[in-house]
DNA sequence: ATGGTTGCATGGCAA
């Protein structure tokens, strides 16, 4: 089974690119973040025609929003509010065989890495603290956690560890918060399993670079984690960097895994 | 140190 996660940065704007990703990677399941629209404007029919007839969409106006698109049946759909906000940052569903799939869009956290000066950074840290409390529940079940976690945890997950130590997404306090979630849930980082340190891995490149590929100032913000019972099913994984180079691309590249389920 | 781009919605916020 192939599972893709992608921060698409508006599903309406990038529907043709999503269909291209589906054609190129032939995933069984696609998890999207930042669909940026209410549920009723989601392009359900076009994606159903592409073979993804099982859909779970949680949108909102203008911001955030997550979706799971699947060729195989979904059940037990849930949508959780974190830090008491109804801001469409998480959904989950059961795959055949009772595997839990969690799709997250963790808050980006604003620009200033200080919770006293920046409410958005406080929200991000609080969100991750709640995830760490949630994570141990069912850690012995087969589960996947995918999505834009907005943290690049390892020095090899950013273009310059030194220059990003004080930049939101790679600060020690965020790395520590993400690590707590990972340890609490017993999660295996699928991409790092496939591409161990010191390989550099990025899934996001800023729109603001004059030439994103030449400067290659990337960060690995998008992740696929496997619970212990699933860790042994990992067969392959990758980042579809090609999609970052397409016309009118998302600033994130799709990340994928193949599991022997 | 600064400013650089994009999407939504149509001003300014969020990323």
């Amino acid at each position: 089974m192939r599972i893709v996660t992608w921060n698409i940065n508006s599903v309406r704007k990038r529907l043709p690119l999503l269909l291209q990703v589906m054609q190129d990677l032939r995933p069984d399941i696609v998890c999207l973040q930042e669909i940026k629209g209410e549920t009723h404007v989601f392009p359900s029919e076009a994606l159903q025609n592409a073979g993804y007839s099982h859909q779970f969409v949680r949108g909102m106006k203008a911001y955030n929003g997550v979706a799971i698109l699947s060729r195989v049946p979904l059940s037990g759909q849930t949508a959780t509010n974190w830090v008491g906000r109804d801001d469409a940052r998480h959904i989950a569903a059961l795959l055949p065989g009772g595997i839990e799939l969690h799709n997250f869009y963790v808050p980006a956290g604003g620009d200033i890495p200080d919770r006293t000066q920046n409410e958005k950074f406080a929200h991000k840290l609080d969100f991750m603290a709640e995830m760490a409390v949630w994570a141990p529940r069912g850690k012995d079940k087969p589960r996947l956690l995918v999505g834009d976690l907005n943290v690049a945890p390892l020095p090899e997950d950013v273009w310059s560890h030194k220059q990003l130590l004080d930049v939101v997404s790679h600060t020690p306090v965020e790395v520590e918060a993400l690590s707590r979630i990972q340890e609490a849930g017993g999660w295996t980082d699928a991409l790092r399993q496939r591409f161990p340190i010191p390989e550099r891995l990025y899934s996001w490149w800023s729109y603001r670079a004059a030439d994103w590929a030449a400067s290659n100032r990337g960060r690995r913000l998008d992740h696929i984690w496997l619970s212990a019972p699933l860790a042994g099913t990992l067969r392959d994984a990758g980042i579809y960097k090609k999609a970052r180079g397409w016309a009118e691309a998302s600033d994130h590249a799709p990340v994928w895994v193949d599991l022997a389920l």
Side-chain angles (χ1 to χ4, degrees):
Chain A
M1 175 169 289
R2 176 166 286 182
I3 299 169
V4 167
T5 178
W6 190 22
N7 180 322
I8 193 169
N9 187 18
S10 172
V11 70
R12 285 175 289 170
K13 174 92 182 178
R14 266 173 268 288
L15 176 60
L17 302 191
L18 176 55
L19 294 170
Q20 189 68 52
V21 166
M22 289 167 161
Q23 193 175 321
D24 291 357
L25 299 181
R26 307 301 303 172
D28 298 286
I29 297 169
V30 177
C31 296
L32 299 174
Q33 304 86 37
E34 282 208 271
I35 62 173
K36 285 190 169 177
E38 290 176 289
T39 302
H40 68 85
V41 299
F42 190 84
S44 294
E45 194 175 328
L47 293 162
Q48 179 152 347
N49 293 338
Y52 297 84
S53 52
H54 304 94
Q55 306 183 357
F56 182 26
V57 180
R58 183 183 184 190
M60 61 178 275
K61 191 183 178 76
Y63 301 112
N64 311 331
V66 287
I68 300 173
L69 306 171
S70 178
R71 294 179 173 280
V72 300
L74 302 172
S75 62
Q77 291 89 336
T78 57
T80 303
N81 291 339
W82 300 80
V83 202
R85 299 195 195 192
D86 186 7
D87 57 357
R89 294 182 179 275
H90 168 266
I91 51 175
L94 292 173
L95 311 184
I99 294 161
E100 271 181 40
L101 173 61
H102 292 270
N103 180 11
F104 277 96
Y105 176 49
V106 172
D111 290 330
I112 303 166
D114 180 333
R115 69 151 61 240
T116 67
Q117 294 180 53
N118 173 9
E119 182 277 329
K120 291 201 280 287
F121 194 71
H123 178 223
K124 180 178 196 173
L125 295 180
D126 292 345
F127 191 106
M128 287 197 281
E130 249 184 56
M131 287 178 72
V133 171
W134 158 82
R137 299 180 205 153
K139 65 183 288 188
D140 298 321
K141 292 191 285 187
R143 296 194 299 177
L144 293 105
L145 189 165
V146 314
D148 178 1
L149 305 185
N150 265 314
V151 179
L154 302 170
E156 295 81 6
D157 291 332
V158 293
W159 66 276
S160 168
H161 172 61
K162 193 175 171 184
Q163 288 183 253
L164 288 173
L165 272 172
D166 207 27
V167 173
V168 172
S169 73
H170 192 61
T171 63
V173 64
E174 292 168 86
V175 170
E176 181 56 37
L178 193 72
S179 173
R180 273 198 279 269
I181 301 167
Q182 192 174 355
E183 284 171 27
W187 303 102
T188 294
D189 179 340
L191 271 287
R192 277 298 170 196
Q193 200 69 11
R194 174 68 180 77
F195 300 102
I197 295 166
E199 181 129 15
R200 288 188 178 272
L201 290 176
Y202 312 141
S203 66
W204 174 88
W205 293 262
S206 172
Y207 282 128
R208 298 179 191 180
D211 185 333
W212 71 275
S215 58
N216 197 27
R217 294 185 168 190
R219 307 177 201 171
R220 188 170 69 108
L221 304 179
D222 304 277
H223 300 272
I224 299 179
W225 288 357
L226 309 174
S227 69
L230 279 187
T233 69
L234 179 64
R235 290 296 173 269
D236 201 359
I239 299 175
Y240 195 51
K241 186 175 173 180
K242 181 179 180 184
R244 180 63 182 82
W246 290 340
E248 300 193 291
S250 169
D251 45 356
H252 295 254
V255 178
W256 58 270
V257 288
D258 287 338
L259 304 178
L261 297 181

mmCIF file of all heavy atoms in Angstrom, chain A residues 151-190:
data_model
loop_
_atom_site.group_PDB
_atom_site.id
_atom_site.type_symbol
_atom_site.label_atom_id
_atom_site.label_comp_id
_atom_site.label_asym_id
_atom_site.label_seq_id
_atom_site.Cartn_x
_atom_site.Cartn_y
_atom_site.Cartn_z
ATOM 1 N N VAL A 151 7.899 21.098 11.803
ATOM 2 C CA VAL A 151 9.178 21.050 12.515
ATOM 3 C C VAL A 151 10.136 20.187 11.706
ATOM 4 O O VAL A 151 9.768 19.090 11.276
ATOM 5 C CB VAL A 151 9.035 20.455 13.928
ATOM 6 C CG1 VAL A 151 10.395 20.397 14.632
ATOM 7 C CG2 VAL A 151 8.043 21.256 14.768
ATOM 8 N N ALA A 152 11.337 20.704 11.496
ATOM 9 C CA ALA A 152 12.436 19.947 10.885
ATOM 10 C C ALA A 152 13.361 19.543 12.022
ATOM 11 O O ALA A 152 14.131 20.361 12.516
ATOM 12 C CB ALA A 152 13.162 20.804 9.863
ATOM 13 N N PRO A 153 13.268 18.290 12.496
ATOM 14 C CA PRO A 153 13.892 17.954 13.783
ATOM 15 C C PRO A 153 15.412 17.804 13.762
ATOM 16 O O PRO A 153 16.059 18.186 14.735
ATOM 17 C CB PRO A 153 13.213 16.640 14.174
ATOM 18 C CG PRO A 153 12.674 16.064 12.917
ATOM 19 C CD PRO A 153 12.376 17.217 12.005
ATOM 20 N N LEU A 154 15.963 17.269 12.717
ATOM 21 C CA LEU A 154 17.387 16.922 12.737
ATOM 22 C C LEU A 154 18.232 17.978 12.034
ATOM 23 O O LEU A 154 17.744 18.669 11.124
ATOM 24 C CB LEU A 154 17.607 15.572 12.055
ATOM 25 C CG LEU A 154 16.842 14.393 12.652
ATOM 26 C CD1 LEU A 154 16.947 13.174 11.747
ATOM 27 C CD2 LEU A 154 17.378 14.073 14.039
ATOM 28 N N PRO A 155 19.498 18.117 12.413
ATOM 29 C CA PRO A 155 20.382 19.041 11.691
ATOM 30 C C PRO A 155 20.405 18.743 10.188
ATOM 31 O O PRO A 155 20.501 19.674 9.374
ATOM 32 C CB PRO A 155 21.754 18.782 12.323
ATOM 33 C CG PRO A 155 21.438 18.299 13.702
ATOM 34 C CD PRO A 155 20.172 17.497 13.572
ATOM 35 N N GLU A 156 20.259 17.470 9.833
ATOM 36 C CA GLU A 156 20.271 17.064 8.420
ATOM 37 C C GLU A 156 18.922 17.281 7.743
ATOM 38 O O GLU A 156 18.749 16.939 6.577
ATOM 39 C CB GLU A 156 20.684 15.596 8.302
ATOM 40 C CG GLU A 156 22.106 15.321 8.745
ATOM 41 C CD GLU A 156 22.240 15.203 10.258
ATOM 42 O OE1 GLU A 156 21.208 15.217 10.967
ATOM 43 O OE2 GLU A 156 23.396 15.093 10.736
ATOM 44 N N ASP A 157 17.938 17.819 8.492
ATOM 45 C CA ASP A 157 16.617 18.122 7.930
ATOM 46 C C ASP A 157 16.496 19.577 7.490
ATOM 47 O O ASP A 157 15.398 20.001 7.089
ATOM 48 C CB ASP A 157 15.521 17.847 8.974
ATOM 49 C CG ASP A 157 15.359 16.370 9.278
ATOM 50 O OD1 ASP A 157 15.656 15.538 8.399
ATOM 51 O OD2 ASP A 157 14.930 16.052 10.407
ATOM 52 N N VAL A 158 17.600 20.334 7.611
ATOM 53 C CA VAL A 158 17.588 21.747 7.203
ATOM 54 C C VAL A 158 18.876 22.063 6.437
ATOM 55 O O VAL A 158 19.888 21.382 6.603
ATOM 56 C CB VAL A 158 17.469 22.701 8.410
ATOM 57 C CG1 VAL A 158 16.107 22.566 9.074
ATOM 58 C CG2 VAL A 158 18.590 22.466 9.406
ATOM 59 N N TRP A 159 18.811 23.118 5.641
ATOM 60 C CA TRP A 159 19.961 23.479 4.808
ATOM 61 C C TRP A 159 21.122 24.008 5.627
ATOM 62 O O TRP A 159 22.279 23.873 5.238
ATOM 63 C CB TRP A 159 19.560 24.468 3.723
ATOM 64 C CG TRP A 159 19.123 25.811 4.252
ATOM 65 C CD1 TRP A 159 17.873 26.149 4.701
ATOM 66 C CD2 TRP A 159 19.944 26.972 4.400
ATOM 67 N NE1 TRP A 159 17.864 27.450 5.126
ATOM 68 C CE2 TRP A 159 19.123 27.992 4.943
ATOM 69 C CE3 TRP A 159 21.279 27.268 4.111
ATOM 70 C CZ2 TRP A 159 19.595 29.264 5.213
ATOM 71 C CZ3 TRP A 159 21.746 28.551 4.387
ATOM 72 C CH2 TRP A 159 20.918 29.528 4.932
ATOM 73 N N SER A 160 20.812 24.609 6.793
ATOM 74 C CA SER A 160 21.871 25.067 7.685
ATOM 75 C C SER A 160 21.384 24.987 9.128
ATOM 76 O O SER A 160 20.570 25.819 9.564
ATOM 77 C CB SER A 160 22.286 26.503 7.365
ATOM 78 O OG SER A 160 23.113 27.014 8.411
ATOM 79 N N HIS A 161 21.859 23.998 9.839
ATOM 80 C CA HIS A 161 21.454 23.838 11.244
ATOM 81 C C HIS A 161 21.785 25.100 12.036
ATOM 82 O O HIS A 161 20.952 25.615 12.796
ATOM 83 C CB HIS A 161 22.178 22.623 11.816
ATOM 84 C CG HIS A 161 22.015 22.454 13.287
ATOM 85 N ND1 HIS A 161 20.788 22.257 13.875
ATOM 86 C CD2 HIS A 161 22.923 22.442 14.292
ATOM 87 C CE1 HIS A 161 20.944 22.136 15.185
ATOM 88 N NE2 HIS A 161 22.224 22.244 15.464
ATOM 89 N N LYS A 162 22.977 25.610 11.840
ATOM 90 C CA LYS A 162 23.442 26.770 12.607
ATOM 91 C C LYS A 162 22.580 28.005 12.335
ATOM 92 O O LYS A 162 22.166 28.714 13.262
ATOM 93 C CB LYS A 162 24.901 27.061 12.247
ATOM 94 C CG LYS A 162 25.592 28.026 13.171
ATOM 95 C CD LYS A 162 27.054 28.161 12.818
ATOM 96 C CE LYS A 162 27.714 29.296 13.610
ATOM 97 N NZ LYS A 162 29.121 29.495 13.208
ATOM 98 N N GLN A 163 22.285 28.226 11.058
ATOM 99 C CA GLN A 163 21.539 29.435 10.712
ATOM 100 C C GLN A 163 20.052 29.331 11.025
ATOM 101 O O GLN A 163 19.352 30.348 11.030
ATOM 102 C CB GLN A 163 21.746 29.775 9.237
ATOM 103 C CG GLN A 163 23.146 30.311 8.964
ATOM 104 C CD GLN A 163 23.339 30.711 7.521
ATOM 105 O OE1 GLN A 163 24.026 30.036 6.762
ATOM 106 N NE2 GLN A 163 22.728 31.810 7.132
ATOM 107 N N LEU A 164 19.581 28.124 11.292
ATOM 108 C CA LEU A 164 18.151 27.968 11.558
ATOM 109 C C LEU A 164 17.836 27.690 13.028
ATOM 110 O O LEU A 164 16.664 27.519 13.380
ATOM 111 C CB LEU A 164 17.569 26.857 10.678
ATOM 112 C CG LEU A 164 17.444 27.243 9.198
ATOM 113 C CD1 LEU A 164 17.018 26.056 8.359
ATOM 114 C CD2 LEU A 164 16.471 28.384 8.993
ATOM 115 N N LEU A 165 18.864 27.687 13.876
ATOM 116 C CA LEU A 165 18.628 27.384 15.296
ATOM 117 C C LEU A 165 17.652 28.361 15.951
ATOM 118 O O LEU A 165 16.957 28.009 16.899
ATOM 119 C CB LEU A 165 19.956 27.395 16.066
ATOM 120 C CG LEU A 165 20.692 26.053 16.075
ATOM 121 C CD1 LEU A 165 22.082 26.214 16.692
ATOM 122 C CD2 LEU A 165 19.896 24.996 16.843
ATOM 123 N N ASP A 166 17.594 29.578 15.417
ATOM 124 C CA ASP A 166 16.698 30.595 15.968
ATOM 125 C C ASP A 166 15.529 30.898 15.027
ATOM 126 O O ASP A 166 14.874 31.918 15.165
ATOM 127 C CB ASP A 166 17.492 31.875 16.249
ATOM 128 C CG ASP A 166 16.851 32.693 17.362
ATOM 129 O OD1 ASP A 166 16.174 32.087 18.223
ATOM 130 O OD2 ASP A 166 17.004 33.929 17.354
ATOM 131 N N VAL A 167 15.300 29.999 14.076
ATOM 132 C CA VAL A 167 14.216 30.191 13.110
ATOM 133 C C VAL A 167 13.110 29.183 13.421
ATOM 134 O O VAL A 167 13.377 27.984 13.564
ATOM 135 C CB VAL A 167 14.723 30.002 11.667
ATOM 136 C CG1 VAL A 167 13.565 30.035 10.674
ATOM 137 C CG2 VAL A 167 15.755 31.071 11.325
ATOM 138 N N VAL A 168 11.879 29.704 13.523
ATOM 139 C CA VAL A 168 10.736 28.844 13.837
ATOM 140 C C VAL A 168 10.672 27.697 12.827
ATOM 141 O O VAL A 168 10.743 27.924 11.615
ATOM 142 C CB VAL A 168 9.424 29.660 13.837
ATOM 143 C CG1 VAL A 168 8.207 28.733 13.970
ATOM 144 C CG2 VAL A 168 9.435 30.692 14.964
ATOM 145 N N SER A 169 10.565 26.485 13.362
ATOM 146 C CA SER A 169 10.549 25.188 12.651
ATOM 147 C C SER A 169 11.767 24.342 13.036
ATOM 148 O O SER A 169 11.754 23.127 12.878
ATOM 149 C CB SER A 169 10.509 25.293 11.119
ATOM 150 O OG SER A 169 11.776 25.719 10.605
ATOM 151 N N HIS A 170 12.825 24.990 13.556
ATOM 152 C CA HIS A 170 14.040 24.228 13.870
ATOM 153 C C HIS A 170 14.635 24.632 15.222
ATOM 154 O O HIS A 170 15.759 24.266 15.546
ATOM 155 C CB HIS A 170 15.062 24.425 12.747
ATOM 156 C CG HIS A 170 16.235 23.485 12.805
ATOM 157 N ND1 HIS A 170 16.103 22.121 12.712
ATOM 158 C CD2 HIS A 170 17.565 23.706 12.948
ATOM 159 C CE1 HIS A 170 17.306 21.553 12.783
ATOM 160 N NE2 HIS A 170 18.205 22.495 12.946
ATOM 161 N N THR A 171 13.879 25.381 16.032
ATOM 162 C CA THR A 171 14.417 25.800 17.332
ATOM 163 C C THR A 171 14.456 24.599 18.286
ATOM 164 O O THR A 171 13.648 23.660 18.167
ATOM 165 C CB THR A 171 13.548 26.897 17.966
ATOM 166 O OG1 THR A 171 12.242 26.369 18.229
ATOM 167 C CG2 THR A 171 13.431 28.111 17.050
ATOM 168 N N PRO A 172 15.388 24.606 19.234
ATOM 169 C CA PRO A 172 15.490 23.482 20.171
ATOM 170 C C PRO A 172 14.184 23.186 20.910
ATOM 171 O O PRO A 172 13.855 22.021 21.141
ATOM 172 C CB PRO A 172 16.592 23.937 21.132
ATOM 173 C CG PRO A 172 17.469 24.811 20.291
ATOM 174 C CD PRO A 172 16.533 25.542 19.369
ATOM 175 N N VAL A 173 13.408 24.213 21.261
ATOM 176 C CA VAL A 173 12.177 23.965 22.012
ATOM 177 C C VAL A 173 11.160 23.219 21.152
ATOM 178 O O VAL A 173 10.430 22.341 21.640
ATOM 179 C CB VAL A 173 11.597 25.284 22.587
ATOM 180 C CG1 VAL A 173 11.181 26.249 21.497
ATOM 181 C CG2 VAL A 173 10.424 25.011 23.515
ATOM 182 N N GLU A 174 11.113 23.518 19.857
ATOM 183 C CA GLU A 174 10.200 22.794 18.955
ATOM 184 C C GLU A 174 10.682 21.373 18.703
ATOM 185 O O GLU A 174 9.882 20.424 18.671
ATOM 186 C CB GLU A 174 10.099 23.522 17.606
ATOM 187 C CG GLU A 174 9.404 24.856 17.657
ATOM 188 C CD GLU A 174 9.628 25.604 16.359
ATOM 189 O OE1 GLU A 174 8.861 25.392 15.403
ATOM 190 O OE2 GLU A 174 10.610 26.392 16.280
ATOM 191 N N VAL A 175 11.988 21.231 18.504
ATOM 192 C CA VAL A 175 12.557 19.901 18.276
ATOM 193 C C VAL A 175 12.293 19.016 19.484
ATOM 194 O O VAL A 175 11.927 17.838 19.351
ATOM 195 C CB VAL A 175 14.065 20.015 17.961
ATOM 196 C CG1 VAL A 175 14.723 18.644 17.964
ATOM 197 C CG2 VAL A 175 14.274 20.716 16.618
ATOM 198 N N GLU A 176 12.430 19.595 20.660
ATOM 199 C CA GLU A 176 12.169 18.851 21.896
ATOM 200 C C GLU A 176 10.688 18.460 21.986
ATOM 201 O O GLU A 176 10.354 17.326 22.359
ATOM 202 C CB GLU A 176 12.574 19.706 23.100
ATOM 203 C CG GLU A 176 12.378 19.046 24.445
ATOM 204 C CD GLU A 176 13.107 17.708 24.571
ATOM 205 O OE1 GLU A 176 14.231 17.580 24.036
ATOM 206 O OE2 GLU A 176 12.535 16.795 25.182
ATOM 207 N N ALA A 177 9.804 19.383 21.628
ATOM 208 C CA ALA A 177 8.362 19.095 21.682
ATOM 209 C C ALA A 177 8.000 17.979 20.703
ATOM 210 O O ALA A 177 7.201 17.084 21.030
ATOM 211 C CB ALA A 177 7.570 20.357 21.357
ATOM 212 N N LEU A 178 8.580 18.001 19.530
ATOM 213 C CA LEU A 178 8.298 16.954 18.542
ATOM 214 C C LEU A 178 8.848 15.611 19.016
ATOM 215 O O LEU A 178 8.199 14.566 18.870
ATOM 216 C CB LEU A 178 8.897 17.320 17.179
ATOM 217 C CG LEU A 178 8.396 16.464 16.022
ATOM 218 C CD1 LEU A 178 6.955 16.803 15.666
ATOM 219 C CD2 LEU A 178 9.283 16.589 14.800
ATOM 220 N N SER A 179 10.035 15.659 19.596
ATOM 221 C CA SER A 179 10.666 14.448 20.108
ATOM 222 C C SER A 179 9.816 13.800 21.202
ATOM 223 O O SER A 179 9.715 12.566 21.286
ATOM 224 C CB SER A 179 12.059 14.795 20.630
ATOM 225 O OG SER A 179 12.627 13.690 21.273
ATOM 226 N N ARG A 180 9.191 14.624 22.024
ATOM 227 C CA ARG A 180 8.328 14.094 23.089
ATOM 228 C C ARG A 180 7.131 13.343 22.500
ATOM 229 O O ARG A 180 6.727 12.309 23.018
ATOM 230 C CB ARG A 180 7.849 15.227 23.998
ATOM 231 C CG ARG A 180 8.821 15.531 25.124
ATOM 232 C CD ARG A 180 8.143 16.326 26.239
ATOM 233 N NE ARG A 180 8.086 17.745 25.901
ATOM 234 C CZ ARG A 180 9.019 18.632 26.233
ATOM 235 N NH1 ARG A 180 10.065 18.249 26.931
ATOM 236 N NH2 ARG A 180 8.909 19.883 25.886
ATOM 237 N N ILE A 181 6.569 13.891 21.416
ATOM 238 C CA ILE A 181 5.451 13.197 20.757
ATOM 239 C C ILE A 181 5.927 11.855 20.212
ATOM 240 O O ILE A 181 5.285 10.818 20.397
ATOM 241 C CB ILE A 181 4.887 14.042 19.594
ATOM 242 C CG1 ILE A 181 4.390 15.394 20.079
ATOM 243 C CG2 ILE A 181 3.759 13.281 18.892
ATOM 244 C CD1 ILE A 181 4.121 16.390 18.939
ATOM 245 N N GLN A 182 7.075 11.900 19.560
ATOM 246 C CA GLN A 182 7.587 10.693 18.908
ATOM 247 C C GLN A 182 7.879 9.598 19.936
ATOM 248 O O GLN A 182 7.507 8.433 19.744
ATOM 249 C CB GLN A 182 8.848 11.036 18.111
ATOM 250 C CG GLN A 182 9.271 9.911 17.182
ATOM 251 C CD GLN A 182 10.420 10.283 16.270
ATOM 252 O OE1 GLN A 182 10.882 11.424 16.240
ATOM 253 N NE2 GLN A 182 10.882 9.309 15.508
ATOM 254 N N GLU A 183 8.505 9.970 21.027
ATOM 255 C CA GLU A 183 8.833 8.995 22.069
ATOM 256 C C GLU A 183 7.570 8.497 22.767
ATOM 257 O O GLU A 183 7.438 7.301 23.043
ATOM 258 C CB GLU A 183 9.799 9.606 23.078
ATOM 259 C CG GLU A 183 11.213 9.689 22.533
ATOM 260 C CD GLU A 183 12.138 10.483 23.447
ATOM 261 O OE1 GLU A 183 11.876 10.534 24.667
ATOM 262 O OE2 GLU A 183 13.115 11.052 22.933
ATOM 263 N N ALA A 184 6.636 9.410 23.038
ATOM 264 C CA ALA A 184 5.410 9.034 23.753
ATOM 265 C C ALA A 184 4.594 8.023 22.959
ATOM 266 O O ALA A 184 3.913 7.167 23.534
ATOM 267 C CB ALA A 184 4.574 10.275 24.043
ATOM 268 N N GLY A 185 4.632 8.140 21.629
ATOM 269 C CA GLY A 185 3.848 7.240 20.790
ATOM 270 C C GLY A 185 4.634 6.060 20.247
ATOM 271 O O GLY A 185 4.074 5.220 19.543
ATOM 272 N N GLY A 186 5.911 6.031 20.541
ATOM 273 C CA GLY A 186 6.745 4.959 20.009
ATOM 274 C C GLY A 186 6.821 4.961 18.496
ATOM 275 O O GLY A 186 6.888 3.909 17.858
ATOM 276 N N TRP A 187 6.835 6.153 17.901
ATOM 277 C CA TRP A 187 6.767 6.274 16.443
ATOM 278 C C TRP A 187 8.137 6.102 15.787
ATOM 279 O O TRP A 187 9.138 6.608 16.282
ATOM 280 C CB TRP A 187 6.253 7.665 16.046
ATOM 281 C CG TRP A 187 4.928 8.063 16.584
ATOM 282 C CD1 TRP A 187 4.678 8.898 17.639
ATOM 283 C CD2 TRP A 187 3.638 7.670 16.099
ATOM 284 N NE1 TRP A 187 3.327 9.046 17.831
ATOM 285 C CE2 TRP A 187 2.664 8.309 16.897
ATOM 286 C CE3 TRP A 187 3.213 6.838 15.055
ATOM 287 C CZ2 TRP A 187 1.294 8.151 16.700
ATOM 288 C CZ3 TRP A 187 1.849 6.675 14.854
ATOM 289 C CH2 TRP A 187 0.902 7.330 15.671
ATOM 290 N N THR A 188 8.130 5.430 14.648
ATOM 291 C CA THR A 188 9.303 5.338 13.786
ATOM 292 C C THR A 188 9.162 6.347 12.655
ATOM 293 O O THR A 188 8.123 6.421 11.992
ATOM 294 C CB THR A 188 9.410 3.920 13.177
ATOM 295 O OG1 THR A 188 9.654 2.998 14.223
ATOM 296 C CG2 THR A 188 10.532 3.839 12.160
ATOM 297 N N ASP A 189 10.211 7.101 12.423
ATOM 298 C CA ASP A 189 10.271 8.096 11.339
ATOM 299 C C ASP A 189 10.616 7.343 10.046
ATOM 300 O O ASP A 189 11.753 6.946 9.824
ATOM 301 C CB ASP A 189 11.352 9.110 11.716
ATOM 302 C CG ASP A 189 11.576 10.198 10.686
ATOM 303 O OD1 ASP A 189 11.194 10.027 9.513
ATOM 304 O OD2 ASP A 189 12.169 11.227 11.059
ATOM 305 N N ALA A 190 9.599 7.153 9.201
ATOM 306 C CA ALA A 190 9.763 6.275 8.028
ATOM 307 C C ALA A 190 10.827 6.787 7.064
ATOM 308 O O ALA A 190 11.619 6.008 6.525
ATOM 309 C CB ALA A 190 8.428 6.127 7.300
#
